[in-house]
Every structure is written in C-alpha cells, then in structure tokens.
Amino acid sequence: MRASRRTIVMLLMATAVAGCVGGTALRSLPDREPSLRPVPNPAFDAWVEAFAGRAAAQGISRATIDRALGAAGFLPGVIERDRNQTEFTRSLEDYLAIAASDERVATGRAMLNRHAGLLSRIEARYGVDPAVVVAIWGLESRYGERRGDISVVSALATLAYDGRRGAFFEQQLVAALRILENGDIPVERMTGSWAGAMGHTQFIPTSYLAYAVDFDGDGRRDIWSEDPTDALASTAAYLARSGWQRGRPWGMEVRLPTGFDTSLAGRGTTRSVGAWNSLGVRTVGGRSVPDHGPASLLIPSGPSGPAFLIFRNFTVLTRYNNAQNYVIGVGHLADRIAGGPPLAAGFPPDAQGMTISDRRELQRRLTAAGFDTGGADGVVGPDTRAAISAYERAAGMPVTGQPSMTLLARLG
Ligand SMILES: [Ca+2]
C-alpha cells in the first residue's frame, strides 16, 4: 500500500517504546538506503574507543569487544530516523486501517494455519493465545518479511554516540555485546531495525537477554533466522513473564448506553465487569459482558466511536509496547486473525467532516484522474497530500494539499 508508506513510517515511529520497538512491519522503507551505509567519522571512532573501555569494565571480553566494534560504523541515516520520529500520532481509525488491513488479516490467518503445530506447542508451554503471537509478529515485522538488515551494533553505537537518548542506547549496546558473547548469533548476522530492534518480533537487546528462549533446542536463541520458532516462542515467553492470563481476552468491543458518563473511561479507572454491566455496558451483540476480571473502558475516538472494555492482558501487552493504539491494534488484529469480525462501531468523521469511506473515495478519484495516491486505504499521508496539491495546481486552484468534501464533490 504505497499510499500509506510515509504515513506508516511516522505512525509507528511515534509509538512509545517499552520492551520492543513496535512497528518495523508498518515501515516500508527500503531496508538499506544509501544513508544507512557507514561513513567515516573520527569523533565516532574516538567514542567507540572510550566505550570499549566501559564495556570491558562491565565484563564483556576483549575478544567480543574487538570483533563487534571492529566492524561498527557510523550510520548518519539512523540519526536522521531518530530525529524524524517525534510529534506524530495517528488516530486509532488510521492506525487500524493499516495495522489490521484486510491483507494483514488474511496473511495472519494463513500464518496461523501454517504454523499451527508450533503455535499450539508454544501455547501449551506459555499459555498465550496463538492469534496474539501471530498478531504481534504481523505488526512487528509483517510476519517476518521485514526483520531489518541494519547492523545492530553499528545502529546502537551511532545512537549512543549521538547522545539524544545516549544512556538508553549505550545500555542496549552493552546488551548486544552480551548476546554476541553468549554465542547466540555472530556479529554479521545480528541485524535489525535502525533502532536496534531485532528479528521477527523486534526484540531490543535487553528484552532479548531477559526473555528470549531456545524453543527448538539447538542451543541458540535465534530470533533472526528465517525459521520463526525461537522468535515466536520468545514473544510468548515475554508475555507470560509479564503476567499473561491464559484463556483470557485482551479486551473486547462493547456498546455503551445512551447518556453514558464518559468520564468513567480511561486506563486509570478499573471496575468489575459486574459494575460495568450495571452501568449498562453490553457486548456489541447486546448481551451482558462476560466476566474476564477487572476491566477499564476505552473510548479512543470519543463517544461516537468504538468503545472497548480492556482486561489484565491489555496491560500485559503494554509491556511490549506502551502505545494504546499499538495494543488495540495487536488485540483487534488477533481477534480478526482468529476469525472475528471487523469493529461493529464506525468512527466519527474527521476534522474535515470526512469518513474513511469518503477519504478512500477521494483517493480513488484522484488516482483515476491521473494523480496517483498510491492506493486507497483511506489514510491521508504525504502521497495523498502530494496528489491533492498536484491536482489543485493543475486545476488552477489554491494549493492546500488538504482533503475536503468539496474536493471530493469536484472530482465526482
Ligand atoms: Ca534455537
């Protein structure tokens, strides 16, 4: 979906990071752009030398330090990405349009089938629903397609040297050296995203050290290989260690009664399901909500959008990535992969008064008129804005790059 390429980059870069850097999967930049090649930088080299001393002081062997850092280079493209990731949040509607697109749901269902045996062995050991593991896989690396091929040592060294979040990345770099020292992976195979997230489910090095498992029993915790066995089991192990409750849902879409007091919404307010039922909260099918333990209510798009009751497993997923949209994205994608329906509630119109169908129709009409939006996913990103601007210019209109119902009508 070309329409949303850059949109997606910003969308996921904006997510907060807990255990993993969510979203390589929703990033479709070519994995190795010219700017991701190392360039000479004497100040970086001096930093690396000083770091080597600090790593040795933390117990990393000289041999590992020399082998790993000998090959490390300064990657300006990594810094560029780090700088460009802030100040951009997407609405839940846009997020879900991408995260739980028909394509991602269909591939997820195929993966659930293909790896059914493995996933049920993982479930037997860790108690995590296979569809949830597959959904995380789908969001993190598009089911293994985009695991990232940037040198993790170089990326982390660049970010630690750069210093914007220097202490965090230096800690990750030391953890990466420990992984190398353990012999789980040779340095040339230790690749990942620009931010050092590795493998099928994008573990950062400290999460790897804490949670990765050798599920296939070959003596190495290999989350990088084509075979996702260790990576998927490690993801389940991570959730299990974070308190995953076997057999319980992350949350569910619910219906609120007319006049519901929306000040009760938010992760800070937790009540029993019985209390929510007494307040008139119902399943989308109109029944009492089944008791899955204490619950909070989320209405991320306001009272006219979808509402969710979330349970303990929602909080467990925040350990993986704390962004609310990410967790709802994982949960909803998992539900869809398991055969569930799309959300029952629609989303309210956006600030331009347009629904997602309006935005999709606008993209289709622009593309048909020769102004390619690169797809029609209803998510207005840079490609769609550029197409609108080009259309406005060609039509002699003021160039705004803004979608609107007027423009939609004009294109009809
Ligand atoms: Ca293994």
Side-chain angles (χ1 to χ4, degrees), residues 36-398:
L36 284 171
R37 299 215 173 88
V39 304
N41 180 338
F44 172 78
D45 296 342
W47 182 89
V48 166
E49 209 167 306
F51 168 76
R54 297 197 292 279
Q58 290 183 68
I60 310 289
S61 76
R62 206 68 227 183
T64 297
I65 291 172
D66 291 347
R67 205 170 50 240
L69 297 180
F74 175 68
L75 305 175
V78 161
I79 294 181
E80 235 170 82
R81 279 160 182 71
D82 186 51
R83 293 280 186 273
N84 290 335
Q85 66 163 327
T86 47
E87 299 173 60
F88 199 92
T89 49
R90 275 280 167 196
S91 68
L92 177 64
E93 181 180 34
D94 280 2
Y95 188 89
L96 291 182
I98 298 162
S101 66
D102 291 346
E103 189 196 352
R104 207 179 297 260
V105 169
T107 309
R109 287 175 178 170
M111 291 298 174
L112 190 67
N113 251 323
R114 184 184 304 171
H115 299 283
L118 168 65
L119 289 161
S120 66
R121 290 195 305 279
I122 290 173
E123 185 182 22
R125 185 164 323 166
Y126 300 107
V128 181
D129 179 352
V132 170
V133 174
V134 172
I136 291 175
W137 189 21
L139 284 187
E140 295 291 343
S141 71
R142 204 178 291 173
Y143 309 108
E145 240 179 62
R146 293 180 185 276
R147 311 200 285 278
D149 70 352
I150 300 168
S151 153
V152 164
V153 171
S154 291
L156 292 173
T158 297
L159 290 163
Y161 156 77
D162 176 56
R164 193 173 72 80
R165 286 187 287 157
F168 170 77
F169 286 115
E170 179 158 333
Q171 183 200 15
Q172 295 304 321
L173 182 55
V174 171
L177 297 186
R178 277 195 215 291
I179 296 167
L180 294 168
E181 184 124 308
N182 293 343
D184 285 299
I185 191 86
V187 66
E188 60 281 359
R189 277 195 57 214
M190 186 188 254
T191 53
S193 77
W194 67 267
M198 311 179 295
H200 290 266
T201 51
Q202 298 285 281
F203 272 39
I204 57 174
T206 49
S207 297
Y208 176 96
L209 287 176
Y211 303 112
V213 295
D214 171 25
F215 198 71
D216 65 7
D218 71 349
R220 292 179 310 115
R221 302 185 281 173
D222 189 351
I223 60 171
W224 297 269
S225 72
E226 202 57 36
D227 176 353
T229 301
D230 283 359
L232 298 183
S234 296
T235 302
Y238 191 146
L239 297 177
R241 292 268 302 277
S242 304
W244 185 268
Q245 297 185 319
R246 186 187 285 260
R248 296 228 160 148
W250 64 278
M252 60 191 303
E253 189 185 359
V254 292
R255 258 182 15 207
L256 303 179
T258 315
F260 185 83
D261 175 6
T262 55
S263 74
L264 297 174
R267 270 156 77 176
T269 304
T270 299
R271 296 172 172 240
S272 69
V273 165
W276 290 117
N277 279 324
S278 313
L279 288 164
V281 176
R282 293 290 177 269
T283 67
V284 292
R287 297 162 184 269
S288 293
V289 179
D291 191 358
H292 299 294
S296 299
L297 178 73
L298 295 182
I299 42 174
S301 313
S304 57
F308 305 92
L309 271 190
I310 56 169
F311 305 103
R312 165 73 192 159
N313 284 341
F314 184 99
T315 309
V316 173
L317 287 167
T318 65
R319 292 286 314 278
Y320 213 85
N321 183 322
N322 192 40
Q324 181 171 293
N325 281 354
Y326 176 86
V327 176
I328 296 174
V330 166
H332 180 58
L333 178 59
D335 290 347
R336 296 293 321 277
I337 287 172
L343 293 178
F347 286 85
D350 63 20
Q352 285 78 38
M354 305 180 81
T355 64
I356 196 164
S357 324
D358 297 328
R359 298 192 295 272
R360 284 186 176 135
E361 185 57 27
L362 179 68
Q363 289 170 326
R364 276 191 286 270
R365 289 183 193 177
L366 281 164
T367 301
F371 302 90
D372 187 8
T373 59
D377 59 6
V379 179
V380 175
D383 291 354
T384 298
R385 290 189 199 288
I388 293 171
S389 295
Y391 172 81
E392 289 172 331
R393 208 170 289 119
M397 299 160 63

